[in-house]
Amino acid sequence: MKTGFFGGKFMPFHKGHLHCIEVAAKICDKVYVILFDSPEQRPLEHGTQIDGLLTVAAREIQIKESIKKFPNVEYRYLNTDACVDEDGKEDWDKETPLVLELIGNKFTYVFSSEPSYDAYFKRAYPWATHIIVDEKRISVPISGTEIRSMSLEEALKWI
């Protein structure tokens, strides 16, 4: 059985994320979509025109609604407050055991759109293959950073 996971903050969850899930769902028998969230350390939820889309509740709704059409995709939430260092930097190595506790270590693939994550994934999940989806953002030309700088009306076109 081929299993994969796709994790992120999804600030906000958008069409690019959905595209990655679609690819993963075609490759895998089961896919876990994991929302990594650090409520105590979440500075991005304040001061944008789309703050309402960045709350945990809003992102959970966006993800859960989007994955309904994929019977082989499951949603999981992971609080990562304990993985943030005193200086505010995220320590992904602290997240690794939390992921393994949440979904086990039987996954075959880790999905992302970022080649820069490759070294971490090889260290954290050496048995899993990192599949990079739409690295150049050709299929869905958008990023969460871009969406957070948009007006709500513009942003809703990508969500």
Side-chain angles (χ1 to χ4, degrees):
M1 183 163 136
K2 294 178 185 173
T3 303
F5 92 83
F6 173 48
K9 293 182 194 113
F10 307 117
M11 301 271 299
F13 185 81
H14 57 72
K15 291 177 181 178
H17 297 131
L18 182 58
H19 175 66
C20 189
I21 292 168
E22 289 170 342
V23 170
K26 288 177 184 172
I27 294 171
C28 296
D29 301 301
K30 176 177 257 257
V31 177
Y32 295 99
V33 176
I34 303 174
L35 172 59
F36 291 86
D37 186 59
S38 185
E40 293 179 11
Q41 304 292 326
R42 193 180 325 114
L44 295 174
E45 191 179 308
H46 307 288
T48 74
Q49 292 186 40
I50 64 162
D51 285 354
L53 300 174
L54 303 178
T55 66
V56 173
R59 289 180 285 152
E60 283 185 323
I61 289 168
Q62 292 164 352
I63 295 167
K64 288 177 179 178
E65 284 299 313
S66 295
I67 66 172
K68 280 183 179 179
K69 63 183 173 182
F70 305 105
N72 60 332
V73 177
E74 293 184 21
Y75 167 79
R76 296 286 189 273
Y77 173 83
L78 188 60
N79 182 309
T80 57
D81 281 337
C83 305
V84 179
D85 293 333
E86 288 182 21
D87 64 0
K89 277 189 80 175
E90 295 174 73
D91 185 341
W92 285 16
D93 289 317
K94 291 179 183 176
E95 292 176 358
T96 303
L98 300 178
V99 169
L100 299 178
E101 184 179 323
L102 187 66
I103 64 170
N105 66 349
K106 303 292 186 208
F107 51 90
T108 316
Y109 304 107
V110 180
F111 294 87
S112 83
S113 62
E114 300 291 337
S116 62
Y117 298 169
D118 201 49
Y120 165 71
F121 288 148
K122 283 181 181 173
R123 184 176 70 249
Y125 317 113
W127 61 88
T129 301
H130 179 203
I131 296 181
I132 301 169
V133 178
D134 200 17
E135 173 186 351
K136 300 199 184 304
R137 290 179 172 68
I138 294 168
S139 296
V140 184
I142 198 65
S143 72
T145 303
E146 291 173 289
I147 293 172
R148 288 190 301 274
S149 69
M150 294 177 175
S151 70
L152 181 59
E153 183 180 332
E154 291 174 308
L156 289 174
K157 295 174 186 172
W158 294 102
I159 295 174

